[in-house]
Amino acid sequence: MGSAIEFQSFHIGGVFNPLDFWIFHVLPQYEAQLRTYFSENDSGVKNWIEQENSDLALLSLNDGTCVIKKVKKRRIGEYLRRYIGRSRAELETKSSLLLEDAGINVPQVYGYGVNYSPFGQYESIFLCKYLERFKTVYEYLDMGKPASYRKRDILRLLCQDVAKMHQFGIFRRDCNRGNIMIDPDDLSRLFWIDNWAWQPKRLTEVQKKNMLKQRRRDNDTAEDREWLELCYRDAVNHSEKE
């Protein structure tokens, strides 16, 4: 997945907590800047990152703005996963690169970091380009009452992207309107965020069951659940034909 991209690695202690031990994997051209941002203990940038109770922060880079998505530790399983598997930020990085390889629009990935210390609030960090002016499809549809032809354009783009994923044998978890972004002034393409995708040769019965269960998330509306059910049933049917 994303084999054409090679990350530069470096380690830093004490980013958000004095006992943190972080290993970052970032694009080489941003390594020096990001190392400086995360290593200067007295940096005003670090204080700014933590000044609000938010899991998102922004950093200015030479050619744009970087989103820092901080993943909190939630349970012991996530701590162990860093040693026996992948952190959530690494999963999102690999998923985004997998979708990008298939021709799906995703924000440019700068890299990720993993905290290998049992201390500290955050498990990992995902770094990607900030999409200025963009809104989620949910926000865009809630801004007013877009013309029906605009809704059809969005649906057409969505179907094209899902079909392309299926063509490459890719399945993406949680395809709801809050995870798809669009420029209100340019409805020619969608950008997928919060990516969690995989490319199995054949889905197991457990995977099929879990995919169909995903539509029952508590924070989804009835419309979202219906949308998810159609998307995932199509994905399952596609897998059964292989």
Side-chain angles (χ1 to χ4, degrees), residues 91-116:
L91 284 171
E92 185 164 353
T93 299
K94 301 297 185 183
S95 297
S96 296
L97 296 177
L98 175 63
L99 293 173
E100 187 177 47
D101 285 347
I104 305 298
N105 292 315
V106 298
Q108 180 183 355
V109 174
Y110 294 136
Y112 64 96
V114 181
N115 180 17
Y116 284 90

PDB file of all heavy atoms in Angstrom, residues 91-116:
ATOM      1  N   LEU A  91      -2.718   3.130  10.574  1.00  0.00           N
ATOM      2  CA  LEU A  91      -3.794   2.552   9.776  1.00  0.00           C
ATOM      3  C   LEU A  91      -4.414   3.594   8.856  1.00  0.00           C
ATOM      4  O   LEU A  91      -4.689   3.328   7.688  1.00  0.00           O
ATOM      5  CB  LEU A  91      -4.870   1.963  10.696  1.00  0.00           C
ATOM      6  CG  LEU A  91      -4.548   0.621  11.358  1.00  0.00           C
ATOM      7  CD1 LEU A  91      -5.601   0.284  12.412  1.00  0.00           C
ATOM      8  CD2 LEU A  91      -4.478  -0.490  10.315  1.00  0.00           C
ATOM      9  N   GLU A  92      -4.626   4.809   9.387  1.00  0.00           N
ATOM     10  CA  GLU A  92      -5.215   5.863   8.559  1.00  0.00           C
ATOM     11  C   GLU A  92      -4.258   6.285   7.452  1.00  0.00           C
ATOM     12  O   GLU A  92      -4.679   6.564   6.325  1.00  0.00           O
ATOM     13  CB  GLU A  92      -5.595   7.065   9.426  1.00  0.00           C
ATOM     14  CG  GLU A  92      -6.313   8.147   8.644  1.00  0.00           C
ATOM     15  CD  GLU A  92      -7.028   9.164   9.524  1.00  0.00           C
ATOM     16  OE1 GLU A  92      -7.080   8.961  10.748  1.00  0.00           O
ATOM     17  OE2 GLU A  92      -7.527  10.158   8.966  1.00  0.00           O
ATOM     18  N   THR A  93      -2.966   6.328   7.770  1.00  0.00           N
ATOM     19  CA  THR A  93      -1.964   6.680   6.753  1.00  0.00           C
ATOM     20  C   THR A  93      -1.952   5.651   5.627  1.00  0.00           C
ATOM     21  O   THR A  93      -2.026   6.003   4.437  1.00  0.00           O
ATOM     22  CB  THR A  93      -0.571   6.762   7.390  1.00  0.00           C
ATOM     23  OG1 THR A  93      -0.563   7.782   8.393  1.00  0.00           O
ATOM     24  CG2 THR A  93       0.495   7.088   6.349  1.00  0.00           C
ATOM     25  N   LYS A  94      -1.853   4.384   5.980  1.00  0.00           N
ATOM     26  CA  LYS A  94      -1.811   3.323   4.970  1.00  0.00           C
ATOM     27  C   LYS A  94      -3.110   3.272   4.173  1.00  0.00           C
ATOM     28  O   LYS A  94      -3.101   3.033   2.960  1.00  0.00           O
ATOM     29  CB  LYS A  94      -1.550   1.971   5.641  1.00  0.00           C
ATOM     30  CG  LYS A  94      -0.251   1.892   6.424  1.00  0.00           C
ATOM     31  CD  LYS A  94       0.959   2.077   5.536  1.00  0.00           C
ATOM     32  CE  LYS A  94       2.258   1.873   6.318  1.00  0.00           C
ATOM     33  NZ  LYS A  94       3.458   2.117   5.486  1.00  0.00           N
ATOM     34  N   SER A  95      -4.233   3.505   4.854  1.00  0.00           N
ATOM     35  CA  SER A  95      -5.523   3.489   4.160  1.00  0.00           C
ATOM     36  C   SER A  95      -5.614   4.624   3.147  1.00  0.00           C
ATOM     37  O   SER A  95      -6.085   4.446   2.022  1.00  0.00           O
ATOM     38  CB  SER A  95      -6.667   3.605   5.174  1.00  0.00           C
ATOM     39  OG  SER A  95      -6.699   2.498   6.044  1.00  0.00           O
ATOM     40  N   SER A  96      -5.149   5.814   3.542  1.00  0.00           N
ATOM     41  CA  SER A  96      -5.189   6.966   2.647  1.00  0.00           C
ATOM     42  C   SER A  96      -4.312   6.725   1.422  1.00  0.00           C
ATOM     43  O   SER A  96      -4.694   7.045   0.292  1.00  0.00           O
ATOM     44  CB  SER A  96      -4.742   8.227   3.382  1.00  0.00           C
ATOM     45  OG  SER A  96      -5.631   8.552   4.435  1.00  0.00           O
ATOM     46  N   LEU A  97      -3.137   6.147   1.632  1.00  0.00           N
ATOM     47  CA  LEU A  97      -2.238   5.867   0.508  1.00  0.00           C
ATOM     48  C   LEU A  97      -2.809   4.783  -0.401  1.00  0.00           C
ATOM     49  O   LEU A  97      -2.646   4.838  -1.624  1.00  0.00           O
ATOM     50  CB  LEU A  97      -0.864   5.459   1.028  1.00  0.00           C
ATOM     51  CG  LEU A  97      -0.102   6.543   1.815  1.00  0.00           C
ATOM     52  CD1 LEU A  97       1.219   5.990   2.332  1.00  0.00           C
ATOM     53  CD2 LEU A  97       0.128   7.781   0.957  1.00  0.00           C
ATOM     54  N   LEU A  98      -3.501   3.811   0.197  1.00  0.00           N
ATOM     55  CA  LEU A  98      -4.140   2.765  -0.600  1.00  0.00           C
ATOM     56  C   LEU A  98      -5.216   3.361  -1.501  1.00  0.00           C
ATOM     57  O   LEU A  98      -5.291   3.044  -2.695  1.00  0.00           O
ATOM     58  CB  LEU A  98      -4.750   1.718   0.334  1.00  0.00           C
ATOM     59  CG  LEU A  98      -5.561   0.598  -0.321  1.00  0.00           C
ATOM     60  CD1 LEU A  98      -4.678  -0.253  -1.236  1.00  0.00           C
ATOM     61  CD2 LEU A  98      -6.217  -0.272   0.743  1.00  0.00           C
ATOM     62  N   LEU A  99      -6.040   4.238  -0.947  1.00  0.00           N
ATOM     63  CA  LEU A  99      -7.085   4.884  -1.740  1.00  0.00           C
ATOM     64  C   LEU A  99      -6.477   5.784  -2.813  1.00  0.00           C
ATOM     65  O   LEU A  99      -6.955   5.836  -3.949  1.00  0.00           O
ATOM     66  CB  LEU A  99      -8.007   5.688  -0.834  1.00  0.00           C
ATOM     67  CG  LEU A  99      -8.871   4.879   0.133  1.00  0.00           C
ATOM     68  CD1 LEU A  99      -9.613   5.801   1.089  1.00  0.00           C
ATOM     69  CD2 LEU A  99      -9.873   4.016  -0.627  1.00  0.00           C
ATOM     70  N   GLU A 100      -5.415   6.497  -2.451  1.00  0.00           N
ATOM     71  CA  GLU A 100      -4.753   7.377  -3.411  1.00  0.00           C
ATOM     72  C   GLU A 100      -4.201   6.585  -4.588  1.00  0.00           C
ATOM     73  O   GLU A 100      -4.292   7.018  -5.749  1.00  0.00           O
ATOM     74  CB  GLU A 100      -3.644   8.157  -2.718  1.00  0.00           C
ATOM     75  CG  GLU A 100      -2.997   9.222  -3.584  1.00  0.00           C
ATOM     76  CD  GLU A 100      -1.960  10.019  -2.821  1.00  0.00           C
ATOM     77  OE1 GLU A 100      -1.123   9.400  -2.136  1.00  0.00           O
ATOM     78  OE2 GLU A 100      -1.974  11.261  -2.909  1.00  0.00           O
ATOM     79  N   ASP A 101      -3.631   5.420  -4.317  1.00  0.00           N
ATOM     80  CA  ASP A 101      -3.103   4.566  -5.388  1.00  0.00           C
ATOM     81  C   ASP A 101      -4.202   4.125  -6.340  1.00  0.00           C
ATOM     82  O   ASP A 101      -3.951   3.853  -7.520  1.00  0.00           O
ATOM     83  CB  ASP A 101      -2.418   3.329  -4.792  1.00  0.00           C
ATOM     84  CG  ASP A 101      -1.060   3.660  -4.194  1.00  0.00           C
ATOM     85  OD1 ASP A 101      -0.556   4.767  -4.463  1.00  0.00           O
ATOM     86  OD2 ASP A 101      -0.513   2.818  -3.446  1.00  0.00           O
ATOM     87  N   ALA A 102      -5.442   4.041  -5.824  1.00  0.00           N
ATOM     88  CA  ALA A 102      -6.575   3.622  -6.650  1.00  0.00           C
ATOM     89  C   ALA A 102      -7.232   4.800  -7.362  1.00  0.00           C
ATOM     90  O   ALA A 102      -8.230   4.617  -8.054  1.00  0.00           O
ATOM     91  CB  ALA A 102      -7.606   2.907  -5.791  1.00  0.00           C
ATOM     92  N   GLY A 103      -6.679   6.002  -7.212  1.00  0.00           N
ATOM     93  CA  GLY A 103      -7.229   7.169  -7.888  1.00  0.00           C
ATOM     94  C   GLY A 103      -8.315   7.885  -7.118  1.00  0.00           C
ATOM     95  O   GLY A 103      -9.036   8.706  -7.679  1.00  0.00           O
ATOM     96  N   ILE A 104      -8.430   7.609  -5.804  1.00  0.00           N
ATOM     97  CA  ILE A 104      -9.409   8.283  -4.958  1.00  0.00           C
ATOM     98  C   ILE A 104      -8.746   9.522  -4.343  1.00  0.00           C
ATOM     99  O   ILE A 104      -7.603   9.454  -3.874  1.00  0.00           O
ATOM    100  CB  ILE A 104      -9.908   7.351  -3.841  1.00  0.00           C
ATOM    101  CG1 ILE A 104     -10.463   6.047  -4.431  1.00  0.00           C
ATOM    102  CG2 ILE A 104     -10.952   8.043  -2.981  1.00  0.00           C
ATOM    103  CD1 ILE A 104     -11.648   6.220  -5.332  1.00  0.00           C
ATOM    104  N   ASN A 105      -9.454  10.646  -4.331  1.00  0.00           N
ATOM    105  CA  ASN A 105      -8.893  11.876  -3.768  1.00  0.00           C
ATOM    106  C   ASN A 105      -8.883  11.817  -2.245  1.00  0.00           C
ATOM    107  O   ASN A 105      -9.921  11.588  -1.616  1.00  0.00           O
ATOM    108  CB  ASN A 105      -9.718  13.093  -4.214  1.00  0.00           C
ATOM    109  CG  ASN A 105      -9.594  13.369  -5.696  1.00  0.00           C
ATOM    110  OD1 ASN A 105      -8.503  13.346  -6.261  1.00  0.00           O
ATOM    111  ND2 ASN A 105     -10.716  13.627  -6.346  1.00  0.00           N
ATOM    112  N   VAL A 106      -7.711  12.031  -1.666  1.00  0.00           N
ATOM    113  CA  VAL A 106      -7.548  12.142  -0.216  1.00  0.00           C
ATOM    114  C   VAL A 106      -6.625  13.333   0.043  1.00  0.00           C
ATOM    115  O   VAL A 106      -5.842  13.718  -0.830  1.00  0.00           O
ATOM    116  CB  VAL A 106      -6.937  10.857   0.394  1.00  0.00           C
ATOM    117  CG1 VAL A 106      -7.845   9.659   0.171  1.00  0.00           C
ATOM    118  CG2 VAL A 106      -5.541  10.585  -0.174  1.00  0.00           C
ATOM    119  N   PRO A 107      -6.709  13.948   1.224  1.00  0.00           N
ATOM    120  CA  PRO A 107      -5.756  15.020   1.534  1.00  0.00           C
ATOM    121  C   PRO A 107      -4.331  14.478   1.502  1.00  0.00           C
ATOM    122  O   PRO A 107      -4.094  13.327   1.881  1.00  0.00           O
ATOM    123  CB  PRO A 107      -6.156  15.442   2.959  1.00  0.00           C
ATOM    124  CG  PRO A 107      -7.569  14.997   3.119  1.00  0.00           C
ATOM    125  CD  PRO A 107      -7.692  13.741   2.300  1.00  0.00           C
ATOM    126  N   GLN A 108      -3.392  15.303   1.053  1.00  0.00           N
ATOM    127  CA  GLN A 108      -2.004  14.849   1.000  1.00  0.00           C
ATOM    128  C   GLN A 108      -1.536  14.408   2.386  1.00  0.00           C
ATOM    129  O   GLN A 108      -1.705  15.107   3.376  1.00  0.00           O
ATOM    130  CB  GLN A 108      -1.090  15.969   0.505  1.00  0.00           C
ATOM    131  CG  GLN A 108       0.373  15.549   0.426  1.00  0.00           C
ATOM    132  CD  GLN A 108       1.291  16.677   0.003  1.00  0.00           C
ATOM    133  OE1 GLN A 108       0.843  17.766  -0.316  1.00  0.00           O
ATOM    134  NE2 GLN A 108       2.581  16.427   0.016  1.00  0.00           N
ATOM    135  N   VAL A 109      -0.951  13.225   2.443  1.00  0.00           N
ATOM    136  CA  VAL A 109      -0.465  12.673   3.701  1.00  0.00           C
ATOM    137  C   VAL A 109       0.971  13.124   3.926  1.00  0.00           C
ATOM    138  O   VAL A 109       1.827  12.968   3.054  1.00  0.00           O
ATOM    139  CB  VAL A 109      -0.544  11.135   3.683  1.00  0.00           C
ATOM    140  CG1 VAL A 109       0.092  10.550   4.937  1.00  0.00           C
ATOM    141  CG2 VAL A 109      -1.990  10.678   3.554  1.00  0.00           C
ATOM    142  N   TYR A 110       1.233  13.694   5.112  1.00  0.00           N
ATOM    143  CA  TYR A 110       2.595  14.083   5.474  1.00  0.00           C
ATOM    144  C   TYR A 110       3.290  12.999   6.293  1.00  0.00           C
ATOM    145  O   TYR A 110       4.511  12.937   6.332  1.00  0.00           O
ATOM    146  CB  TYR A 110       2.586  15.380   6.272  1.00  0.00           C
ATOM    147  CG  TYR A 110       2.123  16.589   5.470  1.00  0.00           C
ATOM    148  CD1 TYR A 110       1.219  17.513   6.019  1.00  0.00           C
ATOM    149  CD2 TYR A 110       2.580  16.820   4.181  1.00  0.00           C
ATOM    150  CE1 TYR A 110       0.802  18.616   5.292  1.00  0.00           C
ATOM    151  CE2 TYR A 110       2.163  17.917   3.450  1.00  0.00           C
ATOM    152  CZ  TYR A 110       1.272  18.811   4.020  1.00  0.00           C
ATOM    153  OH  TYR A 110       0.856  19.912   3.289  1.00  0.00           O
ATOM    154  N   GLY A 111       2.513  12.170   6.982  1.00  0.00           N
ATOM    155  CA  GLY A 111       3.095  11.100   7.777  1.00  0.00           C
ATOM    156  C   GLY A 111       2.314  10.869   9.053  1.00  0.00           C
ATOM    157  O   GLY A 111       1.168  11.295   9.192  1.00  0.00           O
ATOM    158  N   TYR A 112       2.961  10.202  10.007  1.00  0.00           N
ATOM    159  CA  TYR A 112       2.299   9.897  11.277  1.00  0.00           C
ATOM    160  C   TYR A 112       3.357   9.710  12.358  1.00  0.00           C
ATOM    161  O   TYR A 112       4.553   9.538  12.090  1.00  0.00           O
ATOM    162  CB  TYR A 112       1.438   8.630  11.155  1.00  0.00           C
ATOM    163  CG  TYR A 112       2.225   7.369  10.861  1.00  0.00           C
ATOM    164  CD1 TYR A 112       2.621   6.509  11.877  1.00  0.00           C
ATOM    165  CD2 TYR A 112       2.583   7.040   9.548  1.00  0.00           C
ATOM    166  CE1 TYR A 112       3.350   5.358  11.605  1.00  0.00           C
ATOM    167  CE2 TYR A 112       3.310   5.895   9.262  1.00  0.00           C
ATOM    168  CZ  TYR A 112       3.684   5.052  10.296  1.00  0.00           C
ATOM    169  OH  TYR A 112       4.415   3.918  10.031  1.00  0.00           O
ATOM    170  N   GLY A 113       2.910   9.741  13.605  1.00  0.00           N
ATOM    171  CA  GLY A 113       3.787   9.507  14.742  1.00  0.00           C
ATOM    172  C   GLY A 113       3.112   8.566  15.722  1.00  0.00           C
ATOM    173  O   GLY A 113       1.889   8.557  15.839  1.00  0.00           O
ATOM    174  N   VAL A 114       3.914   7.776  16.432  1.00  0.00           N
ATOM    175  CA  VAL A 114       3.392   6.814  17.398  1.00  0.00           C
ATOM    176  C   VAL A 114       4.112   7.014  18.723  1.00  0.00           C
ATOM    177  O   VAL A 114       5.340   7.121  18.760  1.00  0.00           O
ATOM    178  CB  VAL A 114       3.600   5.360  16.910  1.00  0.00           C
ATOM    179  CG1 VAL A 114       3.022   4.375  17.917  1.00  0.00           C
ATOM    180  CG2 VAL A 114       2.962   5.161  15.545  1.00  0.00           C
ATOM    181  N   ASN A 115       3.348   7.070  19.810  1.00  0.00           N
ATOM    182  CA  ASN A 115       3.905   7.207  21.156  1.00  0.00           C
ATOM    183  C   ASN A 115       4.085   5.811  21.748  1.00  0.00           C
ATOM    184  O   ASN A 115       3.105   5.135  22.062  1.00  0.00           O
ATOM    185  CB  ASN A 115       2.967   8.048  22.025  1.00  0.00           C
ATOM    186  CG  ASN A 115       3.494   8.225  23.440  1.00  0.00           C
ATOM    187  OD1 ASN A 115       4.676   8.007  23.701  1.00  0.00           O
ATOM    188  ND2 ASN A 115       2.611   8.611  24.353  1.00  0.00           N
ATOM    189  N   TYR A 116       5.342   5.387  21.923  1.00  0.00           N
ATOM    190  CA  TYR A 116       5.617   4.049  22.442  1.00  0.00           C
ATOM    191  C   TYR A 116       5.751   4.021  23.960  1.00  0.00           C
ATOM    192  O   TYR A 116       6.118   2.995  24.528  1.00  0.00           O
ATOM    193  CB  TYR A 116       6.886   3.493  21.790  1.00  0.00           C
ATOM    194  CG  TYR A 116       6.650   3.028  20.380  1.00  0.00           C
ATOM    195  CD1 TYR A 116       6.809   3.904  19.304  1.00  0.00           C
ATOM    196  CD2 TYR A 116       6.236   1.732  20.115  1.00  0.00           C
ATOM    197  CE1 TYR A 116       6.563   3.487  18.001  1.00  0.00           C
ATOM    198  CE2 TYR A 116       5.993   1.313  18.815  1.00  0.00           C
ATOM    199  CZ  TYR A 116       6.160   2.192  17.767  1.00  0.00           C
ATOM    200  OH  TYR A 116       5.907   1.778  16.484  1.00  0.00           O
TER     201      TYR A 116
END
